[in-house]
């Protein structure tokens, strides 16, 4: 079983930031090196953010993506949102990289998986 | 702006079911008609489920997907989980269609999007 694409989250409760987004056509083509550099940098940075628990993402060829980042508390989500370097990238994302996105902050109350489904 | 891929959810609070999954190789190849028939049927059925608010999904060519379904209450999530036809499809999914999946049930507490980000 491959688990590399699944976040190893603790027992609930914890928090999820659900990010669904449509990239602008320029980015969907995959040739926007500024976007990719920023995305890689943000991946490194969030991994060192206090309370970060993991991330899962699926990206379609047409530039539609869903990314879910997990944190221990809402406060740590706000700290990450207000990180100065992250703020600059968010501004650039709104200006150039995303046609639309929705962000939902949610408290995970219960969780199960293929192995534990029978018990849920 | 394309909004077809974004669920038109009401003001929080409401609930999200976050489903991240790796399909078995058979399904990733796209030739499993039983899976596609069931997926289409479940899409129809969930759309008529009380309290269903919308769904967003991103599926990669390699068979990794994230689907987020939104409901008004946890009770309506449980009702959908326990729908007889859905239960049969869940069993088939565990047996044949998914290598692994994680399901997280979460209460959406706040939400914003590209247009309202500056205010969040």
């Amino acid at each position: 079983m491959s688990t590399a694409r699944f976040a190893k989250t603790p027992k609930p409760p914890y928090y999820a930031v659900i990010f669904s987004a449509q990239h602008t056509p320029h980015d969907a083509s995959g040739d926007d090196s500024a976007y990719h550099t920023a995305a890689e940098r943000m991946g490194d940075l969030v991994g060192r953010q206090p309370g970060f628990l993991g991330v899962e993402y699926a990206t379609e060829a047409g530039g539609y993506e869903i990314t879910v980042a997990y944190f221990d508390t809402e406060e740590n989500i706000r700290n990450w949102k207000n990180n100065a370097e992250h703020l600059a990238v968010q501004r650039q994302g709104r200006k150039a990289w995303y046609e639309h996105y929705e962000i939902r902050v949610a408290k995970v109350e219960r969780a199960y998986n293929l192995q534990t489904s029978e018990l849920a």
Side-chain angles (χ1 to χ4, degrees), chain A:
Chain A
M1 184 190 84
S2 162
T3 55
R5 299 292 302 270
F6 298 95
K8 291 182 176 58
T9 43
K11 270 185 198 285
Y14 52 88
Y15 279 83
V17 182
I18 306 164
F19 177 75
S20 51
Q22 178 63 51
H23 288 244
T24 50
H26 185 227
D27 298 302
S29 71
D31 62 10
D32 189 320
S33 66
Y35 167 75
H36 289 291
T37 300
E40 195 174 324
R41 172 68 183 150
M42 290 303 105
D44 289 349
L45 205 58
V46 75
R48 286 179 280 131
Q49 195 69 12
F52 175 75
L53 300 175
V55 65
E56 296 172 342
Y57 60 90
T59 307
E60 296 186 358
Y64 183 80
E65 72 163 287
I66 296 180
T67 295
V68 189
Y70 302 99
F71 287 84
D72 60 352
T73 63
E74 253 215 288
E75 187 188 357
N76 277 328
I77 291 172
R78 289 188 191 271
N79 288 342
W80 167 236
K81 185 176 191 303
N82 293 323
N83 172 288
E85 198 175 335
H86 188 204
L87 282 174
V89 168
Q90 290 170 55
R91 275 191 295 273
Q92 190 61 15
R94 286 194 294 272
K95 204 172 72 176
W97 299 327
Y98 293 110
E99 192 175 298
H100 187 69
Y101 62 72
E102 299 282 341
I103 293 177
R104 295 171 177 100
V105 178
K107 185 180 189 177
V108 178
E109 297 183 344
R110 55 193 176 90
Y112 52 99
N113 61 34
L114 189 143
Q115 283 71 36
T116 59
S117 274
E118 300 290 358
L119 316 166

